[in-house]
Amino acid sequence: MQAQLIALDWGTSSLRAYKLGSAGVVLDQRSLASGIMHLPSEPRDIAGVRCSNGFELAFDSACGDWLDAQPDLPVIACGMVGSAQGWSEAAYRNTPVDVASLGQALHKVRSVRGFDVHIVPGVIEQGGLPNVMRGEETQVLGVLHGLAPHVLIGLPGSHSKWVEVVEGCITHFDTFMTGELFAVLSQHSILGRTQQSSEHFHTEAFDRGVQVALSADGRRGVLSTLFSARTLGLTAQLTPEQQPDYLSGLLIGHELAGLPDSAKPKPIVLVGAVPLCARYQRALALCGFADVSLAQAASERGLWQLAVAAGLTQPVTEA
């Protein structure tokens, strides 16, 4: 199958590149540890030009050979590559926003190879405490087809997002720094001193953490309950191997306790790494959220749809 599009999901820590064919079929894909905070720095020649720009170097490594073989391929990118610290800033769009309309607001940056990279804008929610996303809006679009008119989409990760979508529009979203807080506490706090990593998922310890977050003790807040990850170990109620999963459940439980009760009747779709989404699915069940499903390949599907909306490639037409 002939390729029709190069799609890049370019975040803080990684760069995922997809070569897409008709209808967005993935023909080839690569993952590089070249997020915007980890760009290559060794200068080299690109298209006959000595280049030291980290974004150019990463772009060339990700898909230079694809473009050599097929120079007419359009390129679209989402994520932190369009942030103020990225390759070129793509201005935020305000909520409420029809997520499909973002394809009409792509920001272009020209590479040293002479190719335009079309960057998807992020989304901002103003008023009160502002909230922003970059990359998640594309994943949201990638999973919307066939969903109920009003749905809650969860995107677990370092900075978990919970996105309300009504009739294809992002109307509201929240961010929880759950994954990053877990990493900081495990690696740089007293809680990590008694923890021991394990390949086994200790479900009882995880469930206990979720339930503590939902209990009367949990109402005192995460700053109060966090210390129990240490004291339950000191009193031999948790083994060192169980403590990381207890802490994970505790933090995820507090995150889910922050979701409004009005979210419970709505369908929930989780997007992200399967093992992490499985943890969230388990915790959601303990919190009383019944209608929960998992979605895959959200970024590449969303990038394809935005490229079609922008006229960079063509949708499949019926014969």
Side-chain angles (χ1 to χ4, degrees), residues 53-286:
N53 182 296
F55 290 99
E56 295 279 7
L57 296 170
F59 177 63
D60 185 67
S61 296
C63 56
D65 58 333
W66 293 345
L67 291 167
D68 285 338
Q70 198 173 339
D72 60 337
L73 282 177
V75 182
I76 189 170
C78 71
M80 289 297 288
V81 67
S83 69
Q85 295 77 40
W87 194 351
S88 185
E89 187 171 7
Y92 289 114
R93 302 299 296 270
N94 284 286
T95 58
V97 59
D98 182 339
V99 67
S101 72
L102 297 176
Q104 306 299 321
L106 303 183
H107 172 76
K108 288 193 295 187
V109 58
R110 183 164 286 262
S111 73
V112 70
R113 284 174 158 273
F115 296 102
D116 286 332
V117 178
H118 300 80
I119 300 177
V120 181
V123 174
I124 186 168
E125 185 168 342
Q126 305 273 16
L129 296 176
N131 223 325
V132 296
M133 66 168 72
R134 285 197 185 273
E136 293 90 355
E137 74 294 319
T138 302
Q139 293 177 300
V140 166
L141 178 60
V143 302
L144 278 184
H145 181 71
L147 295 184
H150 195 173
V151 65
L152 184 64
I153 299 178
L155 302 108
S158 296
H159 300 165
S160 298
K161 304 283 186 187
W162 289 92
V163 186
E164 276 195 72
V165 183
V166 180
E167 301 289 353
C169 288
I170 295 175
T171 58
H172 172 73
F173 62 98
D174 295 296
T175 303
F176 297 83
M177 293 181 64
T178 307
E180 184 168 347
L181 184 57
F182 176 83
V184 169
L185 292 171
S186 297
Q187 298 167 21
H188 304 290
S189 83
I190 192 69
L191 300 184
R193 297 293 181 89
T194 56
Q195 290 184 6
Q196 186 170 321
S197 61
S198 170
E199 294 183 1
H200 176 67
F201 177 32
H202 296 88
T203 55
E204 299 86 354
F206 177 83
D207 291 354
R208 184 174 186 175
V210 174
Q211 288 159 350
V212 166
L214 301 177
S215 70
D217 289 329
R219 285 198 290 273
R220 295 202 299 268
V222 67
L223 294 179
S224 172
T225 59
L226 272 177
F227 199 56
S228 65
R230 175 171 173 79
T231 57
L232 289 172
L234 293 176
T235 56
Q237 296 183 60
L238 288 175
T239 67
E241 294 82 6
Q242 290 175 320
Q243 289 172 38
D245 287 321
Y246 172 82
L247 179 60
S248 171
L250 184 68
L251 291 173
I252 291 173
H254 276 292
E255 175 184 332
L256 299 182
L259 298 180
D261 288 338
S262 60
K264 289 186 178 179
K266 299 183 182 71
I268 292 178
V269 179
L270 296 176
V271 180
V274 173
L276 182 56
C277 284
R279 286 178 180 250
Y280 272 77
Q281 193 169 30
R282 185 179 184 92
L284 283 162
L286 292 172

Side-chain angles (χ1 to χ4, degrees), residues 1-5 18-22 24-29 66 70:
M1 182 186 293
Q2 185 82 346
Q4 294 191 18
L5 180 71
Y18 304 92
K19 182 164 64 170
L20 303 180
S22 178
V25 172
V26 178
L27 305 179
D28 198 359
Q29 59 183 298
W66 293 345
Q70 198 173 339

